[in-house]
Short mmCIF file of all heavy atoms in Angstrom, two decimals:
data_model
loop_
_atom_site.label_atom_id
_atom_site.label_comp_id
_atom_site.label_asym_id
_atom_site.label_seq_id
_atom_site.Cartn_x
_atom_site.Cartn_y
_atom_site.Cartn_z
N TRP A 15 -17.14 0.74 18.58
CA TRP A 15 -17.41 0.23 17.35
C TRP A 15 -17.07 1.22 16.11
O TRP A 15 -16.64 0.93 15.08
CB TRP A 15 -18.93 -0.26 17.14
CG TRP A 15 -19.87 0.80 17.43
CD1 TRP A 15 -20.58 1.12 18.52
CD2 TRP A 15 -20.44 1.70 16.30
NE1 TRP A 15 -21.47 2.25 18.30
CE2 TRP A 15 -21.47 2.45 16.90
CE3 TRP A 15 -20.14 1.82 15.01
CZ2 TRP A 15 -22.03 3.46 16.15
CZ3 TRP A 15 -20.91 2.76 14.29
CH2 TRP A 15 -21.82 3.45 14.87
N TRP A 16 -17.35 2.56 16.54
CA TRP A 16 -17.04 3.60 15.55
C TRP A 16 -15.51 3.72 15.30
O TRP A 16 -15.02 3.91 14.29
CB TRP A 16 -17.72 4.77 15.95
CG TRP A 16 -17.43 5.95 14.90
CD1 TRP A 16 -16.82 7.15 15.15
CD2 TRP A 16 -17.94 5.91 13.55
NE1 TRP A 16 -16.80 8.05 13.92
CE2 TRP A 16 -17.42 7.13 12.86
CE3 TRP A 16 -18.50 5.04 12.73
CZ2 TRP A 16 -17.65 7.60 11.68
CZ3 TRP A 16 -18.76 5.49 11.36
CH2 TRP A 16 -18.38 6.72 10.81
N VAL A 17 -14.75 3.78 16.50
CA VAL A 17 -13.35 3.78 16.46
C VAL A 17 -12.77 2.64 15.68
O VAL A 17 -11.79 2.86 14.81
CB VAL A 17 -12.71 3.72 17.87
CG1 VAL A 17 -11.26 3.60 17.78
CG2 VAL A 17 -13.10 4.95 18.62
N THR A 18 -13.34 1.42 15.86
CA THR A 18 -13.00 0.28 14.98
C THR A 18 -13.27 0.41 13.50
O THR A 18 -12.26 0.09 12.71
CB THR A 18 -13.65 -0.90 15.47
OG1 THR A 18 -13.42 -1.17 16.92
CG2 THR A 18 -13.22 -2.19 14.72
N ILE A 19 -14.27 0.97 13.14
CA ILE A 19 -14.64 1.14 11.76
C ILE A 19 -13.52 2.11 11.08
O ILE A 19 -13.04 1.80 9.92
CB ILE A 19 -16.08 1.64 11.55
CG1 ILE A 19 -17.11 0.57 11.88
CG2 ILE A 19 -16.24 2.17 10.21
CD1 ILE A 19 -18.46 1.00 11.77
N VAL A 20 -13.31 3.19 11.73
CA VAL A 20 -12.28 4.13 11.17
C VAL A 20 -10.91 3.56 10.97
O VAL A 20 -10.30 3.69 10.04
CB VAL A 20 -12.24 5.33 12.12
CG1 VAL A 20 -11.13 6.34 11.60
CG2 VAL A 20 -13.59 6.21 12.21
N LEU A 21 -10.47 2.72 12.04
CA LEU A 21 -9.19 2.09 11.98
C LEU A 21 -9.18 1.06 10.88
O LEU A 21 -8.10 0.85 10.20
CB LEU A 21 -8.81 1.47 13.37
CG LEU A 21 -8.60 2.46 14.48
CD1 LEU A 21 -8.25 1.66 15.78
CD2 LEU A 21 -7.43 3.47 14.10
N CYS A 22 -10.35 0.43 10.56
CA CYS A 22 -10.47 -0.71 9.61
C CYS A 22 -10.26 0.00 8.25
O CYS A 22 -9.59 -0.50 7.31
CB CYS A 22 -11.69 -1.40 9.73
SG CYS A 22 -11.89 -2.52 11.03
N LEU A 23 -10.85 1.19 7.99
CA LEU A 23 -10.75 1.84 6.78
C LEU A 23 -9.20 2.16 6.60
O LEU A 23 -8.68 1.98 5.35
CB LEU A 23 -11.37 3.35 6.78
CG LEU A 23 -12.97 3.16 6.84
CD1 LEU A 23 -13.56 4.43 6.97
CD2 LEU A 23 -13.45 2.51 5.46
N VAL A 24 -8.33 2.62 7.53
CA VAL A 24 -6.99 2.91 7.31
C VAL A 24 -6.30 1.53 7.00
O VAL A 24 -5.46 1.47 6.25
CB VAL A 24 -6.43 3.57 8.55
CG1 VAL A 24 -4.91 3.81 8.40
CG2 VAL A 24 -7.10 4.84 8.78
N GLY A 25 -6.64 0.50 7.73
CA GLY A 25 -6.07 -0.81 7.46
C GLY A 25 -6.18 -1.37 6.08
O GLY A 25 -5.31 -1.83 5.47
N ILE A 26 -7.45 -1.14 5.56
CA ILE A 26 -7.66 -1.53 4.17
C ILE A 26 -6.90 -0.73 3.20
O ILE A 26 -6.31 -1.43 2.22
CB ILE A 26 -9.21 -1.33 3.81
CG1 ILE A 26 -10.15 -2.40 4.73
CG2 ILE A 26 -9.54 -1.60 2.39
CD1 ILE A 26 -11.56 -2.07 4.58
N SER A 27 -6.82 0.61 3.41
CA SER A 27 -5.98 1.39 2.57
C SER A 27 -4.52 0.93 2.55
O SER A 27 -3.87 0.87 1.53
CB SER A 27 -6.19 2.78 3.00
OG SER A 27 -5.24 3.73 2.29
N ASN A 28 -4.05 0.60 3.77
CA ASN A 28 -2.60 0.32 3.93
C ASN A 28 -2.39 -0.99 3.07
O ASN A 28 -1.23 -1.20 2.51
CB ASN A 28 -2.32 0.04 5.34
CG ASN A 28 -0.88 -0.13 5.54
OD1 ASN A 28 0.02 0.68 5.15
ND2 ASN A 28 -0.47 -1.20 6.31
N GLY A 29 -3.17 -2.03 3.14
CA GLY A 29 -2.95 -3.21 2.32
C GLY A 29 -2.84 -2.93 0.84
O GLY A 29 -1.96 -3.47 0.25
N PHE A 30 -3.67 -2.10 0.33
CA PHE A 30 -3.59 -1.77 -1.23
C PHE A 30 -2.36 -1.01 -1.42
O PHE A 30 -1.67 -1.19 -2.35
CB PHE A 30 -4.89 -0.96 -1.60
CG PHE A 30 -6.11 -1.76 -1.73
CD1 PHE A 30 -7.18 -1.79 -0.90
CD2 PHE A 30 -6.18 -2.67 -2.81
CE1 PHE A 30 -8.23 -2.53 -1.13
CE2 PHE A 30 -7.22 -3.48 -3.09
CZ PHE A 30 -8.35 -3.36 -2.16
N ASN A 31 -2.01 -0.01 -0.56
CA ASN A 31 -0.86 0.85 -0.77
C ASN A 31 0.45 0.04 -0.83
O ASN A 31 1.26 0.27 -1.59
CB ASN A 31 -0.93 1.90 0.24
CG ASN A 31 -1.78 3.16 0.00
OD1 ASN A 31 -1.80 3.41 -1.23
ND2 ASN A 31 -2.34 3.73 0.99
N ASN A 32 0.57 -0.84 0.11
CA ASN A 32 1.93 -1.55 0.17
C ASN A 32 2.15 -2.39 -1.00
O ASN A 32 3.23 -2.31 -1.52
CB ASN A 32 1.88 -2.52 1.41
CG ASN A 32 2.14 -1.81 2.74
OD1 ASN A 32 2.81 -0.68 2.80
ND2 ASN A 32 1.71 -2.25 3.90
N VAL A 33 1.16 -3.03 -1.49
CA VAL A 33 1.36 -3.98 -2.57
C VAL A 33 1.30 -3.01 -3.90
O VAL A 33 2.22 -3.31 -4.90
CB VAL A 33 0.22 -4.93 -2.78
CG1 VAL A 33 0.52 -5.97 -3.95
CG2 VAL A 33 0.18 -5.84 -1.54
N GLY A 34 0.52 -2.05 -3.92
CA GLY A 34 0.25 -1.32 -5.15
C GLY A 34 1.48 -0.48 -5.50
O GLY A 34 2.00 -0.38 -6.65
N LEU A 35 2.04 0.18 -4.48
CA LEU A 35 3.24 1.00 -4.68
C LEU A 35 4.43 0.20 -4.92
O LEU A 35 5.36 0.73 -5.82
CB LEU A 35 3.48 1.95 -3.53
CG LEU A 35 2.38 3.09 -3.35
CD1 LEU A 35 2.56 3.88 -2.07
CD2 LEU A 35 2.55 4.03 -4.61
N GLN A 36 4.62 -0.99 -4.32
CA GLN A 36 5.82 -1.79 -4.65
C GLN A 36 5.73 -2.33 -6.03
O GLN A 36 6.65 -2.36 -6.78
CB GLN A 36 5.80 -2.97 -3.63
CG GLN A 36 6.29 -2.59 -2.27
CD GLN A 36 6.47 -3.80 -1.36
OE1 GLN A 36 7.60 -4.35 -1.30
NE2 GLN A 36 5.49 -4.06 -0.62
N ASN A 37 4.54 -2.63 -6.50
CA ASN A 37 4.42 -3.06 -7.91
C ASN A 37 4.62 -1.89 -8.81
O ASN A 37 5.24 -2.02 -9.92
CB ASN A 37 2.94 -3.61 -8.11
CG ASN A 37 2.84 -4.33 -9.47
OD1 ASN A 37 3.37 -5.31 -9.66
ND2 ASN A 37 2.11 -3.67 -10.37
N ALA A 38 4.15 -0.68 -8.47
CA ALA A 38 4.46 0.35 -9.35
C ALA A 38 5.94 0.60 -9.50
O ALA A 38 6.48 1.16 -10.58
CB ALA A 38 3.76 1.55 -8.76
N LEU A 39 6.71 0.58 -8.29
CA LEU A 39 8.11 0.61 -8.40
C LEU A 39 8.73 -0.32 -9.33
O LEU A 39 9.50 0.13 -10.21
CB LEU A 39 8.62 0.46 -6.99
CG LEU A 39 10.16 0.29 -6.81
CD1 LEU A 39 10.80 1.74 -6.86
CD2 LEU A 39 10.66 -0.44 -5.61
N PHE A 40 8.39 -1.61 -9.34
CA PHE A 40 8.97 -2.55 -10.21
C PHE A 40 8.36 -2.30 -11.71
O PHE A 40 9.21 -2.72 -12.60
CB PHE A 40 8.41 -3.96 -9.72
CG PHE A 40 9.15 -4.49 -8.55
CD1 PHE A 40 8.61 -5.59 -7.87
CD2 PHE A 40 10.22 -3.84 -7.91
CE1 PHE A 40 9.19 -6.06 -6.76
CE2 PHE A 40 10.84 -4.34 -6.93
CZ PHE A 40 10.25 -5.28 -6.33
N GLU A 41 7.30 -1.81 -11.90
CA GLU A 41 6.91 -1.46 -13.22
C GLU A 41 7.79 -0.41 -13.94
O GLU A 41 7.86 -0.34 -15.13
CB GLU A 41 5.50 -1.06 -13.26
CG GLU A 41 4.46 -2.15 -13.00
CD GLU A 41 3.03 -1.77 -12.99
OE1 GLU A 41 2.74 -0.45 -12.76
OE2 GLU A 41 2.00 -2.46 -13.07
N ASN A 42 8.31 0.59 -13.12
CA ASN A 42 8.97 1.68 -13.73
C ASN A 42 10.42 1.76 -13.44
O ASN A 42 11.18 2.64 -13.90
CB ASN A 42 8.25 2.88 -13.00
CG ASN A 42 6.88 3.13 -13.47
OD1 ASN A 42 6.58 3.54 -14.56
ND2 ASN A 42 5.95 2.71 -12.51
N ALA A 43 11.07 0.77 -12.61
CA ALA A 43 12.48 0.84 -12.43
C ALA A 43 13.18 -0.29 -13.28
O ALA A 43 12.67 -1.49 -13.36
CB ALA A 43 12.79 0.37 -10.89
N PRO A 44 14.31 0.12 -13.94
CA PRO A 44 14.95 -0.76 -14.65
C PRO A 44 15.56 -1.96 -13.86
O PRO A 44 15.98 -1.78 -12.69
CB PRO A 44 16.14 0.01 -15.27
CG PRO A 44 15.69 1.44 -15.26
CD PRO A 44 14.75 1.49 -13.99
N VAL A 45 15.66 -3.18 -14.47
CA VAL A 45 16.13 -4.35 -13.66
C VAL A 45 17.47 -4.11 -13.19
O VAL A 45 17.93 -4.60 -12.09
CB VAL A 45 16.00 -5.60 -14.58
CG1 VAL A 45 16.63 -6.77 -13.85
CG2 VAL A 45 14.65 -5.88 -15.00
N SER A 46 18.26 -3.42 -13.97
CA SER A 46 19.86 -3.19 -13.57
C SER A 46 20.08 -2.43 -12.37
O SER A 46 21.09 -2.56 -11.66
CB SER A 46 20.55 -2.41 -14.77
OG SER A 46 19.92 -1.24 -14.87
N VAL A 47 19.04 -1.67 -11.95
CA VAL A 47 19.11 -0.83 -10.71
C VAL A 47 18.04 -1.15 -9.62
O VAL A 47 17.86 -0.40 -8.77
CB VAL A 47 19.19 0.61 -10.96
CG1 VAL A 47 20.38 1.01 -11.81
CG2 VAL A 47 17.82 1.04 -11.65
N ILE A 48 17.38 -2.29 -9.80
CA ILE A 48 16.29 -2.54 -8.99
C ILE A 48 16.67 -2.79 -7.49
O ILE A 48 15.81 -2.29 -6.67
CB ILE A 48 15.51 -3.75 -9.44
CG1 ILE A 48 14.09 -3.97 -8.72
CG2 ILE A 48 16.39 -5.09 -9.15
CD1 ILE A 48 13.17 -2.87 -9.09
N GLY A 49 17.72 -3.23 -7.21
CA GLY A 49 18.16 -3.40 -5.82
C GLY A 49 18.22 -1.93 -5.15
O GLY A 49 17.88 -1.76 -4.11
N THR A 50 18.98 -1.02 -5.77
CA THR A 50 19.14 0.29 -5.32
C THR A 50 17.75 1.05 -5.13
O THR A 50 17.51 1.71 -4.19
CB THR A 50 20.06 1.18 -6.29
OG1 THR A 50 21.23 0.47 -6.53
CG2 THR A 50 20.29 2.55 -5.72
N ALA A 51 16.94 0.88 -6.20
CA ALA A 51 15.51 1.47 -6.19
C ALA A 51 14.66 0.95 -5.08
O ALA A 51 14.06 1.68 -4.43
CB ALA A 51 14.85 1.23 -7.61
#
């Protein structure tokens, strides 16, 4: 149960990171080079 809790903390973080960093990329990359970025 303790191993499960620790892994869940990492999983929760991963969900926020994937969406948050991709959105941060789009907020800061010009549309003209978004494919390359």
Side-chain angles (χ1 to χ4, degrees):
W15 62 266
W16 181 244
V17 172
T18 301
I19 288 176
V20 174
L21 295 180
C22 287
L23 291 174
V24 177
I26 291 171
S27 172
N28 190 51
F30 282 110
N31 276 323
N32 281 334
V33 182
L35 287 173
Q36 286 185 89
N37 190 71
L39 172 77
F40 286 168
E41 287 177 342
N42 293 281
V45 177
S46 59
V47 296
I48 191 60
T50 308

